[in-house]
Amino acid sequence: MPELPEVETVMRGLLPVMVGNKIRTVKLHRKDLRIPFPLKMQEKLKNIEITALTRRAKYILVHFKDGKILAIHLGMSGRVLIVPPEDKYDLQKHDHMVIGFHDGAKVIYNDPRRFGMIFILNDDELETHKAFAHLGPEPLGNNFSSSYLKETLKNKKTSIKQALLDQRVVVGVGNIYACEALFMAGISPEMIAGDLKGKKAQLLVECIRDVLTRAIEAGGSTLKDFAHADGELGYFQHSFSVYNREKQACQGCNCDIDKTGGVQRITQSGRSTFYCPKKQK
Ligand SMILES: [Zn+2]
């Protein structure tokens, strides 16, 4: 499933193709993904200059000069392909949307499981639209601070791991990066969220920013090879310290695997949590 760093990478990959360009055609090969495609999409979006691309949580937002925004969510298995102006492209299975631009480039949305979402809103609806109204701050934004986190988690009886996955608390951290950030901060995933205090809160905020920033940088380096790749954006190899490493040695930790049994896996709210019982107290 694409997490925030992948979505950010896809957004950055689309920037040079889309900004300043105009849509010429929108071809849809089915009526819906998780929700129906917007009605009359081509009529609504064609011939209007794209002024910017941004990201909110795991939504890519394509801003048009007239104030409209095309929101793209990759769901569980959404992929975006760029076809340069001079290239021919044969439609693949699960290519549900093909956007053709004035310069001849194409952007293709492919999604085997179809949990993705594509919809149009106006830029004055970004705070109030039902997809965005409940969302907490961006983990890499200025509003996500240790004082914010302590205040928000005060009196919360859930575990810190579950709290980090709550999109009202902070958006886009996701299961993988919650595990990695808690490991890096040396905080037990089972700690009561309301007990997060003082330096630990500051450290956790820093570690969340750090794991996400490093993953975005890894994604960015895949974009450099983009010209040699198959035009597909957003999926890249990660190396994790604890995630998906049950019973293996934790990366960057000096614990003795013979004594700890390596990285432990527990289930919290139906999601696997990976952690080091020595480092994370
Ligand atoms: Zn360890």
Side-chain angles (χ1 to χ4, degrees):
M1 179 164 71
E3 300 281 352
L4 185 147
E6 282 92 355
V7 177
E8 179 75 20
T9 302
V10 172
M11 190 274 282
R12 292 182 185 185
L14 287 171
L15 269 169
V17 181
M18 294 180 92
V19 173
N21 218 339
K22 292 177 184 170
I23 290 176
R24 195 160 55 84
T25 54
V26 179
K27 287 191 185 129
L28 301 174
H29 297 285
R30 51 179 298 117
K31 287 197 178 73
D32 57 2
L33 298 169
R34 194 191 327 177
I35 57 172
F37 279 109
L39 288 170
K40 299 184 177 171
M41 221 173 134
Q42 179 174 302
E43 279 173 47
K44 285 177 184 162
L45 302 179
K46 77 170 180 184
N47 297 335
I48 307 164
E49 188 184 334
I50 295 168
T51 53
L53 261 68
T54 58
R55 179 189 54 72
R56 174 70 173 123
K58 294 208 285 182
Y59 293 89
I60 294 164
L61 304 175
V62 182
H63 300 255
F64 290 81
K65 200 167 192 172
D66 66 349
K68 278 199 279 292
I69 292 175
L70 179 68
I72 301 170
H73 193 291
L74 302 174
M76 304 285 284
S77 57
R79 286 157 193 270
V80 173
L81 284 92
I82 295 172
V83 183
E86 62 277 11
D87 286 13
K88 242 178 73 75
Y89 180 78
D90 295 320
L91 211 62
Q92 306 292 312
K93 200 176 178 189
H94 310 302
D95 283 349
H96 304 309
M97 179 179 77
V98 178
I99 298 180
F101 291 90
H102 272 257
D103 67 352
K106 290 188 185 76
V107 166
I108 292 151
Y109 182 85
N110 180 293
D111 190 352
R113 296 182 65 184
R114 301 198 306 266
F115 280 100
M117 284 187 282
I118 289 173
F119 55 91
I120 297 171
L121 68 156
N122 284 313
D123 54 11
D124 59 3
E125 295 176 295
L126 269 179
E127 303 285 323
T128 53
H129 189 279
K130 64 178 193 284
F132 306 105
H134 64 288
L135 296 180
E138 288 289 325
L140 299 174
N142 292 335
N143 294 334
F144 184 61
S145 63
S146 60
S147 52
Y148 162 81
L149 193 59
K150 278 186 283 191
E151 184 59 29
T152 304
L153 299 183
K154 197 172 67 184
N155 304 324
K156 275 219 162 55
K157 303 282 183 244
T158 57
S159 71
I160 186 69
K161 161 79 187 310
Q162 284 163 274
L164 292 181
L165 298 186
D166 183 345
Q167 299 298 294
R168 292 166 299 185
V169 173
V170 57
V171 300
V173 174
N175 198 43
I176 295 171
Y177 298 102
C179 293
E180 294 289 301
L182 286 167
F183 169 76
M184 205 178 152
I187 295 172
S188 165
E190 295 182 290
M191 190 185 94
I192 302 296
D195 289 346
L196 185 73
K197 300 217 169 73
K199 281 187 181 163
K200 281 214 158 170
Q202 182 61 40
L203 186 60
L204 183 56
V205 166
E206 284 167 15
C207 291
I208 289 169
R209 289 177 185 274
D210 191 71
V211 293
L212 290 171
T213 303
R214 278 189 288 130
I216 289 168
E217 280 166 7
S221 61
T222 67
L223 287 182
K224 288 185 195 135
D225 302 328
F226 179 64
H228 312 287
D230 56 1
E232 183 178 310
L233 295 175
Y235 289 80
F236 44 90
Q237 290 296 313
H238 297 277
S239 61
F240 298 121
S241 299
V242 286
Y243 184 78
N244 228 357
R245 294 179 58 85
E246 188 179 7
K247 295 183 180 145
Q248 298 176 50
C250 13
Q251 301 282 316
C253 181
N254 59 6
C255 64
D256 182 350
I257 188 167
D258 292 332
K259 286 182 186 150
T260 62
V263 172
Q264 302 293 299
R265 185 176 71 85
I266 53 171
T267 304
Q268 293 178 289
S269 298
R271 312 287 302 273
S272 285
T273 299
F274 299 88
Y275 73 105
C276 170
K278 175 126 189 301
K279 180 176 159 94
Q280 294 174 257
K281 297 262 163 68

